[in-house]
Amino acid sequence: MAELKDFAEQLVNLTVKEVNELADILKEEYGIEPAAAAVAVAGGGGAAAEEAEEQSEFDVILKAAGGSKLAVVKLVKELTGLGLKDAKALVDGAPAPVKEGVAKDEAEALKAQLEEAGAEVELK
């Protein structure tokens, strides 16, 4: 039983590259098509790999305008370059993306500005 636990721990800690190599060995040497097993193992090790790779692009999502809607509309207009009508429609349509695919620093700066104006903001 202890050996199986050790084996399971080894499988869970495999990198994506190692999982792919294992899949190739199982297919070539044993004729086993390990698609489901590889996905399960990659899911366990892949989560750790995704955490290691920091997200580089973020979406700034306006969740709610908050108490000072006018200030938020003006700020959204300024930040996005939209016209007043479009900025108001974006704020009224919350939750809505203000900017998509921006760098982490820019996303955090936008979030800080919007929150300072009273809006509820989320980064994805």
Side-chain angles (χ1 to χ4, degrees), residues 79 82 96 98 107 122:
L79 295 173
L82 295 172
V98 175
E122 175 183 29

Side-chain angles (χ1 to χ4, degrees), residues 20-34:
N20 287 332
E21 290 174 7
L22 176 61
D24 289 342
I25 291 169
L26 290 173
K27 184 177 180 180
E28 291 171 8
E29 293 184 21
Y30 299 99
I32 299 171
E33 194 69 42

Side-chain angles (χ1 to χ4, degrees), residues 30-102:
Y30 299 99
I32 299 171
E33 194 69 42
V39 169
V41 172
E50 287 177 22
E51 288 177 9
E53 293 180 28
E54 189 174 334
Q55 185 176 349
S56 61
E57 290 187 346
F58 293 85
D59 295 341
V60 180
I61 309 295
L62 177 69
K63 290 174 63 175
S68 55
K69 183 177 169 182
L70 183 59
V72 173
V73 170
K74 286 181 181 180
L75 185 58
V76 167
K77 178 182 179 289
E78 178 184 317
L79 295 173
T80 60
L82 295 172
L84 185 60
K85 182 178 178 180
D86 293 332
K88 182 181 181 303
L90 189 145
V91 171
D92 287 341
V98 175
K99 282 202 174 182
E100 297 177 318
V102 295

